[in-house]
Amino acid sequence: MAKKLLIKVTAGVDAPERCSQAFTVAAVAVASGVEVSMWLTGESAWFALPGRAAEFELPHAAPLPDLLDSILAGGTLTLCTQCAARRDITEKDVIGGVRIAGAQVFVQEAMAEGTQALVY
């Protein structure tokens, strides 16, 4: 049975190593043929906006825009509804391919058979 990887990232520039780890794991999983659903929550919500990933820097880490592009090309990228609302981010603001959804959808994905959830 194929497994799905559900990744929730809560960190952004406030915890760059944790943030980079989440994006790296998601991109590697996509490249490996794993079905990936990545959720941007908390400070990572900002990466749903155009240009924000390019502002992120972490020595010895893959560039965040490249990781983001890989995830968008082969996986699902979701921005948390409440996190978006707290930051005044709307669907018209986000980069192409990003959906906005809430906890009900996250729980539904997490509880699906064959799903492994990781939180960073």
Side-chain angles (χ1 to χ4, degrees):
M1 172 185 284
K3 287 194 85 159
K4 178 178 181 176
L5 186 58
L6 175 62
I7 299 173
K8 179 184 263 193
V9 57
T10 63
V13 296
D14 58 325
E17 287 183 305
R18 193 162 27 108
C19 176
S20 180
Q21 289 168 0
F23 277 90
T24 300
V25 168
V28 168
V30 166
S32 300
V34 175
E35 182 182 353
V36 173
S37 176
M38 185 171 197
W39 283 67
L40 304 175
T41 67
E43 286 303 299
S44 71
W46 295 113
F47 298 125
L49 297 175
R52 286 296 185 100
E55 297 172 4
F56 181 87
E57 291 186 17
L58 182 64
H60 309 291
L64 201 61
D66 295 347
L67 298 173
L68 185 61
D69 289 345
S70 295
I71 296 161
L72 284 168
T76 303
L77 191 61
T78 305
L79 171 59
C80 163
T81 301
Q82 291 181 14
C83 300
R86 280 190 281 275
R87 291 160 179 80
D88 294 320
I89 299 172
T90 66
E91 287 188 6
K92 67 178 178 54
D93 300 318
V94 299
I95 57 178
V98 173
R99 69 176 176 164
I100 297 177
Q104 179 183 3
V105 176
F106 180 82
V107 171
Q108 183 179 20
E109 286 187 27
M111 298 308 296
E113 189 172 337
T115 299
Q116 172 67 52
L118 302 174
V119 178
Y120 287 87

